[in-house]
Amino acid sequence: MASQFVSDHRSTTSDKMKLSIIASLVASAAAFTAPQKSGVSSTALNAKFKPKLQYVPCIDIEDLPDPGSATSGVAGGLAICIAVDPSGSVYALGDKCPPVNQPLSFGKVNADGTIQDPVLGTKFSLKTGDVVGAWCPSGIGKLIGGAFSPVGVPTYPVRKSKNSIEVQVDVNAKFNFEANYWSGILDAQGKADGKYY
Protein backbone atom coordinates (compact mmCIF):
# COMPACT_ATOMS: atom_id res chain seq x y z
CA MET A 1 0.00 0.00 0.00
CA ALA A 2 2.82 2.41 0.88
CA SER A 3 4.62 1.63 -2.39
CA GLN A 4 1.45 2.42 -4.37
CA PHE A 5 1.17 5.79 -2.57
CA VAL A 6 4.80 6.64 -3.42
CA SER A 7 4.22 5.63 -7.07
CA ASP A 8 1.01 7.73 -7.31
CA HIS A 9 2.77 10.67 -5.64
CA ARG A 10 5.70 10.50 -8.13
CA SER A 11 3.38 10.42 -11.18
CA THR A 12 1.38 13.37 -9.82
CA THR A 13 4.61 15.32 -9.22
CA SER A 14 5.83 14.42 -12.72
CA ASP A 15 2.54 15.55 -14.26
CA LYS A 16 2.71 18.83 -12.35
CA MET A 17 6.27 19.42 -13.58
CA LYS A 18 5.27 18.72 -17.19
CA LEU A 19 2.31 21.07 -16.87
CA SER A 20 4.45 23.83 -15.38
CA ILE A 21 7.03 23.47 -18.19
CA ILE A 22 4.31 23.69 -20.84
CA ALA A 23 2.78 26.72 -19.10
CA SER A 24 6.21 28.40 -18.98
CA LEU A 25 6.75 27.80 -22.70
CA VAL A 26 3.32 29.19 -23.57
CA ALA A 27 3.89 32.25 -21.38
CA SER A 28 7.31 32.84 -22.94
CA ALA A 29 5.90 32.64 -26.46
CA ALA A 30 3.04 34.98 -25.54
CA ALA A 31 5.47 37.53 -24.13
CA PHE A 32 7.21 37.87 -27.49
CA THR A 33 4.12 37.77 -29.69
CA ALA A 34 3.12 41.09 -31.19
CA PRO A 35 -0.35 42.35 -30.32
CA GLN A 36 -2.93 41.90 -33.06
CA LYS A 37 -3.39 45.09 -35.04
CA SER A 38 -6.71 46.50 -36.06
CA GLY A 39 -7.41 47.41 -39.66
CA VAL A 40 -7.10 51.14 -38.87
CA SER A 41 -3.70 52.73 -38.37
CA SER A 42 -3.29 54.48 -35.05
CA THR A 43 -0.92 56.88 -36.81
CA ALA A 44 -3.72 57.88 -39.19
CA LEU A 45 -6.13 58.44 -36.30
CA ASN A 46 -3.65 60.58 -34.39
CA ALA A 47 -2.19 62.35 -37.43
CA LYS A 48 -1.34 65.99 -36.99
CA PHE A 49 -0.46 66.32 -40.68
CA LYS A 50 -2.69 65.11 -43.51
CA PRO A 51 -1.25 62.32 -45.69
CA LYS A 52 0.57 63.76 -48.69
CA LEU A 53 1.55 61.24 -51.38
CA GLN A 54 4.43 62.44 -53.48
CA TYR A 55 7.19 60.99 -55.67
CA VAL A 56 10.57 61.65 -54.07
CA PRO A 57 14.08 60.60 -55.17
CA CYS A 58 15.26 57.36 -53.55
CA ILE A 59 18.46 56.32 -55.36
CA ASP A 60 20.48 57.62 -58.30
CA ILE A 61 20.00 55.87 -61.65
CA GLU A 62 23.63 54.70 -61.61
CA ASP A 63 22.97 52.96 -58.24
CA LEU A 64 20.13 50.87 -59.70
CA PRO A 65 21.03 47.23 -59.00
CA ASP A 66 21.57 44.61 -61.69
CA PRO A 67 18.59 42.40 -62.64
CA GLY A 68 18.02 39.77 -59.96
CA SER A 69 19.30 41.90 -57.08
CA ALA A 70 18.27 44.69 -54.70
CA THR A 71 19.65 47.73 -52.91
CA SER A 72 18.49 50.10 -50.20
CA GLY A 73 17.57 53.75 -50.25
CA VAL A 74 15.65 56.38 -48.33
CA ALA A 75 12.55 58.18 -49.59
CA GLY A 76 10.64 60.64 -47.43
CA GLY A 77 12.46 59.39 -44.34
CA LEU A 78 11.39 55.76 -44.97
CA ALA A 79 13.81 52.86 -45.54
CA ILE A 80 13.08 51.51 -49.03
CA CYS A 81 14.25 48.34 -50.81
CA ILE A 82 14.66 48.84 -54.57
CA ALA A 83 14.51 45.42 -56.26
CA VAL A 84 15.04 44.59 -59.93
CA ASP A 85 13.61 41.28 -61.12
CA PRO A 86 15.50 39.14 -63.68
CA SER A 87 13.50 40.70 -66.55
CA GLY A 88 14.54 44.25 -65.48
CA SER A 89 11.30 45.47 -63.86
CA VAL A 90 11.89 47.77 -60.88
CA TYR A 91 9.95 47.48 -57.59
CA ALA A 92 9.96 49.42 -54.31
CA LEU A 93 9.16 47.75 -50.98
CA GLY A 94 9.66 48.54 -47.30
CA ASP A 95 13.23 47.56 -46.36
CA LYS A 96 12.37 45.88 -43.04
CA CYS A 97 11.67 42.13 -43.08
CA PRO A 98 9.17 40.98 -40.49
CA PRO A 99 9.30 39.67 -37.84
CA VAL A 100 12.78 40.91 -36.78
CA ASN A 101 13.35 43.82 -39.21
CA GLN A 102 16.55 42.81 -40.96
CA PRO A 103 17.07 44.61 -44.32
CA LEU A 104 15.04 43.14 -47.19
CA SER A 105 17.55 44.70 -49.60
CA PHE A 106 20.05 41.98 -48.58
CA GLY A 107 17.60 39.39 -49.94
CA LYS A 108 17.65 37.39 -53.14
CA VAL A 109 15.36 38.49 -56.00
CA ASN A 110 13.85 35.37 -57.57
CA ALA A 111 12.52 34.68 -61.07
CA ASP A 112 9.09 33.83 -59.60
CA GLY A 113 8.40 37.51 -58.75
CA THR A 114 9.49 37.32 -55.12
CA ILE A 115 12.29 38.56 -52.91
CA GLN A 116 13.52 36.23 -50.18
CA ASP A 117 14.42 37.25 -46.64
CA PRO A 118 18.16 36.44 -46.32
CA VAL A 119 17.94 35.20 -42.73
CA LEU A 120 14.54 33.59 -42.11
CA GLY A 121 13.78 32.54 -45.70
CA THR A 122 10.31 34.09 -46.11
CA LYS A 123 9.45 35.09 -49.68
CA PHE A 124 7.55 38.33 -50.34
CA SER A 125 5.76 39.23 -53.58
CA LEU A 126 7.48 42.07 -55.42
CA LYS A 127 4.10 43.37 -56.62
CA THR A 128 1.99 43.16 -53.44
CA GLY A 129 4.46 42.64 -50.57
CA ASP A 130 2.40 39.66 -49.36
CA VAL A 131 4.01 36.51 -47.99
CA VAL A 132 4.36 33.85 -50.70
CA GLY A 133 4.71 30.26 -49.50
CA ALA A 134 5.91 29.25 -46.04
CA TRP A 135 6.43 31.80 -43.26
CA CYS A 136 10.00 31.77 -41.86
CA PRO A 137 10.90 28.33 -43.31
CA SER A 138 14.67 28.25 -42.79
CA GLY A 139 16.80 27.42 -39.74
CA ILE A 140 16.17 29.76 -36.87
CA GLY A 141 13.12 31.10 -38.71
CA LYS A 142 11.18 28.01 -37.68
CA LEU A 143 11.74 28.94 -34.03
CA ILE A 144 11.20 32.68 -34.31
CA GLY A 145 8.43 32.61 -36.93
CA GLY A 146 6.20 30.41 -34.79
CA ALA A 147 5.77 33.24 -32.28
CA PHE A 148 4.50 35.73 -34.89
CA SER A 149 1.64 35.85 -37.36
CA PRO A 150 2.69 36.11 -41.03
CA VAL A 151 2.75 39.70 -42.23
CA GLY A 152 3.90 41.21 -45.51
CA VAL A 153 5.90 44.33 -46.33
CA PRO A 154 4.58 47.61 -47.77
CA THR A 155 4.98 48.28 -51.49
CA TYR A 156 5.27 51.65 -53.18
CA PRO A 157 4.75 52.94 -56.71
CA VAL A 158 8.10 53.54 -58.41
CA ARG A 159 9.20 55.43 -61.51
CA LYS A 160 12.41 56.38 -63.29
CA SER A 161 13.15 60.06 -63.66
CA LYS A 162 16.03 61.69 -65.51
CA ASN A 163 18.64 61.16 -62.77
CA SER A 164 17.01 58.99 -60.12
CA ILE A 165 14.58 56.27 -59.15
CA GLU A 166 11.62 57.94 -57.46
CA VAL A 167 9.23 56.31 -55.01
CA GLN A 168 5.75 57.57 -54.10
CA VAL A 169 5.47 57.83 -50.32
CA ASP A 170 3.49 59.78 -47.74
CA VAL A 171 5.98 62.57 -47.08
CA ASN A 172 4.13 63.41 -43.84
CA ALA A 173 4.41 59.88 -42.37
CA LYS A 174 7.69 60.64 -40.61
CA PHE A 175 6.36 63.96 -39.29
CA ASN A 176 3.25 62.25 -37.90
CA PHE A 177 5.34 59.54 -36.26
CA GLU A 178 7.70 62.06 -34.68
CA ALA A 179 4.94 64.50 -33.68
CA ASN A 180 3.84 62.30 -30.79
CA TYR A 181 7.46 61.67 -29.78
CA TRP A 182 8.38 65.34 -29.54
CA SER A 183 5.16 66.14 -27.70
CA GLY A 184 6.06 63.52 -25.09
CA ILE A 185 9.57 64.91 -24.68
CA LEU A 186 8.25 68.44 -24.28
CA ASP A 187 5.59 67.31 -21.83
CA ALA A 188 8.32 65.79 -19.66
CA GLN A 189 10.03 69.20 -19.46
CA GLY A 190 7.04 71.49 -19.65
CA LYS A 191 3.88 71.91 -21.65
CA ALA A 192 3.82 70.94 -25.32
CA ASP A 193 3.11 74.56 -26.23
CA GLY A 194 6.47 75.62 -24.79
CA LYS A 195 5.16 76.97 -21.48
CA TYR A 196 6.08 75.49 -18.11
CA TYR A 197 3.77 74.35 -15.36
Side-chain angles (χ1 to χ4, degrees):
M1 183 77 168
S3 64
Q4 184 180 1
F5 173 74
V6 171
S7 175
D8 288 344
H9 180 67
R10 284 185 188 154
S11 67
T12 304
T13 303
S14 175
D15 291 341
K16 286 181 182 177
M17 287 180 64
K18 289 177 185 176
L19 185 60
S20 67
I21 290 171
I22 290 171
S24 297
L25 290 172
V26 169
S28 297
F32 293 103
T33 302
Q36 297 297 321
K37 294 187 176 187
S38 67
V40 179
S41 167
S42 63
T43 304
L45 292 175
N46 301 329
K48 294 186 180 189
F49 302 95
K50 288 186 177 183
K52 182 178 178 185
L53 294 177
Q54 186 174 327
Y55 278 97
V56 295
C58 184
I59 62 170
D60 292 333
I61 288 285
E62 60 261 7
D63 294 331
L64 189 64
D66 294 329
S69 57
T71 192
S72 62
V74 175
L78 302 173
I80 304 291
C81 168
I82 300 293
V84 182
D85 71 8
S87 68
S89 297
V90 179
Y91 298 91
L93 304 98
D95 199 26
K96 303 292 181 193
C97 286
V100 291
N101 292 335
Q102 67 274 8
L104 184 59
S105 54
F106 292 167
K108 178 184 175 194
V109 179
N110 302 306
D112 64 355
T114 63
I115 184 167
Q116 187 170 359
D117 177 340
V119 178
L120 304 178
T122 304
K123 289 183 177 183
F124 301 95
S125 168
L126 291 171
K127 292 181 181 177
T128 65
D130 293 336
V131 174
V132 176
W135 171 249
C136 300
S138 66
I140 194 166
K142 292 179 182 178
L143 296 173
I144 295 173
F148 298 91
S149 298
V151 62
V153 294
T155 57
Y156 304 96
V158 63
R159 70 182 183 191
K160 291 182 185 179
S161 72
K162 187 174 182 180
N163 300 322
S164 64
I165 299 296
E166 296 181 339
V167 178
Q168 186 184 44
V169 296
D170 177 4
V171 294
N172 286 338
K174 183 178 178 189
F175 296 126
N176 281 323
F177 177 79
E178 290 179 346
N180 292 330
Y181 170 79
W182 289 113
S183 176
I185 293 294
L186 292 174
D187 283 346
Q189 298 172 3
K191 293 183 179 178
D193 62 4
K195 297 179 182 176
Y196 289 92
Y197 294 99

